[in-house]
Amino acid sequence: MSDIEIPESHPRYQSLLTRHRIEEGVEKGITSQQGLIAQGRGEAFDYLLGERTIPSADDAARVAAAHLLLATHPVVSVNGNVAALCPAEIVELANTVDADIEVNLFNRTDERMQAIVDHLREHGADEVKGLTADGRIPGIDHERAKVDADGIGSADVVVVPLEDGDRAEALGAMDKTEIVVDLNPMSRSARVATVPIVDNIVRAVPNITAHARELADASREELEAIVADFDADAALADAERVIRSGSDGSE
């Protein structure tokens, strides 16, 4: 991003920065052109949220951190938009909660897969799964069904930011705990998630990491209590209320 000059005082600084990251991702072969459309759709919801993390989303991020710390085999799933928007933050999250990172794409080619793996390694990842693709998610007929058997295939908790609804449903049918980051509280992905975080991924991923660090010394009983107290439907309803009313979400 060194060739992009956006003053931080610009009222649309963060929005413009993420747009350029997606654009750069397309140029690098990391992000598909369809990813540009998905980014624009998400940005519209973020605008309605006030481009901030509302309290219910922060609560959900804390619950997500608790799930990841309780997990036996957590995995963070990465697509082209995720790789373009927050690669270093994904690596930091995975390192903090001892999770695997796995690339999973709808528009999958060997070249794109390798480009994303290399991109994540450039941002600090030691190992990135997804190239083996020796497992499948039942009930999906497209390329996102392909997973590594020792990655998402055997995970108990999966972070699936910017997820397709059909794969979110299919992963849920496999009894996996799903943590979904989605700016649209009415999307199928958010509604089938164990933990829906209605927030921009560039805020949500570092926020989960921060909560994981805060909870690192918590007992298993404390983490289980955090998980048990979470109401996904209430979190979604609160986000929808904020979007519709423009309130700050703190009531």
Side-chain angles (χ1 to χ4, degrees):
M1 300 302 296
S2 58
D3 59 333
I4 302 296
E5 294 185 7
I6 306 171
E8 291 189 29
S9 60
H10 193 292
R12 307 291 299 148
Y13 173 76
Q14 287 295 337
S15 175
L16 292 171
L17 189 63
T18 55
R19 292 182 202 179
H20 284 301
R21 285 177 179 170
I22 290 291
E23 183 183 25
E24 188 177 58
V26 173
E27 292 172 355
K28 287 185 174 181
I30 291 169
T31 306
S32 70
Q33 291 185 349
Q34 289 88 340
L36 294 167
I37 299 171
Q39 173 65 20
R41 182 177 61 217
E43 189 174 289
F45 281 97
D46 200 21
Y47 189 83
L48 294 172
L49 282 168
E51 296 178 307
R52 70 201 190 284
T53 299
I54 61 175
S56 58
D58 182 61
D59 290 342
R62 187 167 185 262
V63 174
H67 271 293
L68 288 165
L69 292 170
L70 286 167
T72 301
H73 182 195
V75 176
V76 181
S77 182
V78 174
N79 65 14
N81 280 35
V82 175
L85 289 171
C86 52
E89 292 82 358
I90 287 290
V91 173
E92 187 174 8
L93 171 61
N95 288 340
T96 301
V97 299
D98 195 22
D100 287 336
I101 299 173
E102 181 167 335
V103 179
N104 181 273
L105 303 176
F106 183 85
N107 295 296
R108 180 187 179 111
T109 65
D110 291 342
E111 293 76 17
R112 270 194 79 205
M113 290 291 294
Q114 189 63 59
I116 293 173
V117 168
D118 292 343
H119 184 67
L120 291 167
R121 286 176 176 157
E122 288 169 6
H123 285 82
D126 292 327
E127 181 183 357
V128 182
K129 296 183 182 295
L131 297 177
T132 305
D134 54 349
R136 290 191 68 85
I137 300 172
I140 302 179
D141 296 326
H142 54 72
E143 292 291 275
R144 296 208 76 180
K146 295 179 179 178
V147 295
D148 280 13
D150 65 347
I152 290 173
S154 59
D156 56 341
V157 177
V158 188
V159 182
V160 281
L162 314 185
E163 180 65 8
D164 293 332
D166 58 346
R167 197 175 81 116
E169 283 186 328
L171 286 169
M174 296 175 73
D175 293 325
K176 298 185 187 297
T177 295
E178 286 184 276
I179 298 164
V180 170
V181 180
D182 195 319
L183 279 160
N184 178 7
M186 295 162 280
S187 75
R188 183 167 40 154
S189 299
R191 292 191 175 279
V192 301
T194 311
V195 183
I197 304 173
V198 183
D199 200 2
N200 192 314
I201 189 173
V202 300
R203 297 190 298 268
V205 172
N207 201 19
I208 299 170
T209 302
H211 281 297
R213 287 176 174 155
E214 174 203 345
L215 294 170
D217 296 326
S219 67
R220 187 170 188 86
E221 290 73 20
E222 182 180 350
L223 294 174
E224 288 173 345
I226 292 170
V227 166
D229 287 343
F230 182 65
D231 186 334
D233 290 336
L236 292 173
D238 181 70
E240 184 174 343
R241 178 183 61 79
V242 172
I243 287 172
R244 291 181 182 278
S245 68
S247 67
D248 65 6
S250 61
E251 297 141 26

